[in-house]
């Protein structure tokens, strides 16, 4: 009887929450039904593609709203995403760090797009090996997918280098996150292979010798699936820039967050490597932090 009452109580609050969502329903919502091969497996999803309208309603009740972050870029895109009015005051502060504190290199000769990954995998692994050989200290290498990470890890294990490889597992939890942080704090020869935009891509603080370099493989594009395609269609209809809002801006935001892992204090310094042919194109380069200097990898390798 007790279990039945608990189940009814949970059902009541689930239905209540569902009704609260329905009360806020608008054109940016999608009702999605999914099911597996099992009987009675129908699942109802309420998917809010764009929370800007709801955020604006909440913010309208406040006297003033201040939003700040190191990655609110580009400003017009983020202003719309978080529901701020078009006349909201937006500004970008200059970096407190000197450009020399982070040497950022661009390797634009490797195509990391999904259709080219198998063809360029050995070239990528060779480049990563060269990077680890010429950049001592702890390093985090960010990949866009677990499959790409796993394939490259297999080749890196065959190479001879001084770094110990650490690999993020598919179901990374707080315990695994803490384990990597402790290893980076204790060692100076760890190369951690992680997922870009995951639990190791933001919200971690690794000052000083805990992290000396980062490598970003790709441009952080979200995976192409039904939800991202719906998001692209929504932004194309509302802004005329569906690809930019659904793929380009969120992807490069992850890259900016990864770059921000190295220099955390005024005395910190380090290096970074961005690998993808698209970094040679202005629409991608213009979304990188403007306070660092970006050098071609081959030129940087000769001068470092």
């Amino acid at each position: 009887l007790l279990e039945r009452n608990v189940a009814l109580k949970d059902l009541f609050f689930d239905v209540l929450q569902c009704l609260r969502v329905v009360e806020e329903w608008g054109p940016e919502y999608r009702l999605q039904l999914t099911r597996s091969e099992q009987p009675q497996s129908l699942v109802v999803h309420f998917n809010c593609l764009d929370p800007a309208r709801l955020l604006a309603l909440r913010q309208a009740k406040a006297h003033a709203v201040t939003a700040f972050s190191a990655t609110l870029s580009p400003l017009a895109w983020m202003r719309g995403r978080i529901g701020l009015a078009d006349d909201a005051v937006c500004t970008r502060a200059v970096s407190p760090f000197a450009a020399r504190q982070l040497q950022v290199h661009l390797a634009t000769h490797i195509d990391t797009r999904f259709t080219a990954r198998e063809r360029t995998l050995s070239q990528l692994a060779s480049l990563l090996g060269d990077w680890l050989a010429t950049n001592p200290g702890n390093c985090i290498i960010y990949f866009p997918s677990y499959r790409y990470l796993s394939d490259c890890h297999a080749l890196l294990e065959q190479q001879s280098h001084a770094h110990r490889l650490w690999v993020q597992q598919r179901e990374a939890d707080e315990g695994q996150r803490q384990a990597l942080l402790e290893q980076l704090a204790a060692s100076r020869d760890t190369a951690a292979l992680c997922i870009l935009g995951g639990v190791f891509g933001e919200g971690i603080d690794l000052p000083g010798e805990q992290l000396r370099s980062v490598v970003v493989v790709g441009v952080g594009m979200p995976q192409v699936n039904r939800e991202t395609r719906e998001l692209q269609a929504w932004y194309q209809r509302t802004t005329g820039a569906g690809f930019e809002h659904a793929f380009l801006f969120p992807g490069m935001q992850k890259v900016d967050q990864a770059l921000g892992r190295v220099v955390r204090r005024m005395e910190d310094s380090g290096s970074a490597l961005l690998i993808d042919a698209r970094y040679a194109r202005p629409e991608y380069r213009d979304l990188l932090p403007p306070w660092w200097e970006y050098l071609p990898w081959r030129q940087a390798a000769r001068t470092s």
Side-chain angles (χ1 to χ4, degrees):
L1 182 61
L2 179 59
E3 292 181 356
R4 180 173 179 272
N5 289 337
V6 171
L8 289 175
K9 178 181 178 182
D10 292 340
L11 176 62
F12 170 80
F13 283 108
D14 287 343
V15 173
L16 182 61
Q17 179 62 23
C18 179
L19 293 175
R20 288 172 175 169
V21 172
V22 171
E23 288 176 355
E24 303 289 354
W25 200 268
E28 67 280 329
Y29 273 92
R30 297 294 181 271
L31 174 64
Q32 300 169 347
L33 304 178
T34 62
R35 69 185 314 161
S36 66
E37 297 179 354
Q38 300 298 322
Q40 297 184 353
S41 60
L42 182 65
V43 178
V44 180
H45 298 268
F46 292 162
N47 184 13
C48 180
L49 298 174
D50 182 7
R53 176 180 63 87
L54 301 179
L55 291 173
L57 292 174
R58 302 302 182 270
Q59 294 163 7
K61 300 178 181 179
H63 173 71
V65 175
T66 301
F68 61 92
S69 174
T71 50
L72 293 178
S73 175
L75 287 176
W77 169 63
M78 284 304 303
R79 180 180 59 200
R81 287 199 69 186
I82 61 181
L84 296 178
D86 292 340
D87 60 352
V89 177
C90 296
T91 185
R92 186 176 199 171
V94 298
S95 172
F97 304 116
R100 65 179 181 275
Q101 289 181 253
L102 184 68
Q103 297 182 14
V104 186
H105 313 314
L106 303 178
T108 58
H109 61 289
I110 297 181
D111 189 350
T112 72
R113 291 176 299 176
F114 182 79
T115 55
R117 290 175 185 176
E118 183 176 355
R119 173 174 54 84
T120 61
L121 182 62
S122 61
Q123 190 180 11
L124 172 63
S126 178
L127 173 58
L128 294 177
D130 291 342
W131 176 264
L132 294 177
T134 56
N135 289 268
N138 293 336
C139 174
I140 297 181
I141 305 174
Y142 293 102
F143 290 85
S145 73
Y146 284 100
R147 174 65 182 273
Y148 205 10
L149 183 157
S150 178
D151 291 344
C152 195
H153 174 234
L155 295 182
L156 287 175
E157 281 193 312
Q158 301 173 16
Q159 299 179 5
S160 176
H161 48 73
H163 284 76
R164 294 183 295 168
L165 299 180
W166 184 96
V167 178
Q168 177 182 345
Q169 301 302 312
R170 185 175 294 271
E171 300 297 333
D173 55 15
E174 182 60 30
Q176 186 182 150
R177 180 178 184 272
Q178 188 60 35
L180 176 59
L181 297 181
E182 292 175 358
Q183 181 167 331
L184 293 175
S187 74
R188 297 296 178 262
D189 60 352
T190 294
L193 279 58
C194 299
I195 297 299
L196 184 64
V199 296
F200 301 108
E202 58 180 298
I204 57 174
D205 194 28
L206 299 166
E209 296 298 322
Q210 295 184 52
L211 186 64
R212 294 289 294 160
S213 70
V214 296
V215 178
V216 179
V217 180
V219 293
M221 291 288 188
Q223 292 187 4
V224 179
N225 52 38
R226 183 178 69 175
E227 184 170 334
T228 52
R229 285 304 190 193
E230 288 181 346
L231 194 62
Q232 181 182 11
W234 164 258
Y235 281 122
Q236 185 64 35
R237 186 166 70 253
T238 57
T239 69
F243 173 77
E244 290 80 359
H245 283 253
F247 291 98
L248 177 58
F249 296 157
M252 292 302 294
Q253 186 180 63
K254 296 177 186 177
V255 175
D256 292 353
Q257 289 169 338
L259 285 176
R261 296 310 98 203
V262 182
V263 178
R264 310 295 294 177
R265 303 179 304 188
M266 298 306 297
E267 61 270 25
D268 287 348
S269 63
S271 55
L273 176 63
L274 306 181
I275 306 174
D276 193 280
R278 286 166 285 189
Y279 287 116
R281 293 160 54 178
E283 61 266 36
Y284 292 85
R285 286 284 296 275
D286 291 347
L287 295 173
L288 293 172
W291 38 80
W292 307 126
E293 183 180 2
Y294 299 91
L295 299 175
W297 161 244
R298 298 187 185 281
Q299 173 186 340
R302 291 196 300 268
T303 58
S304 60

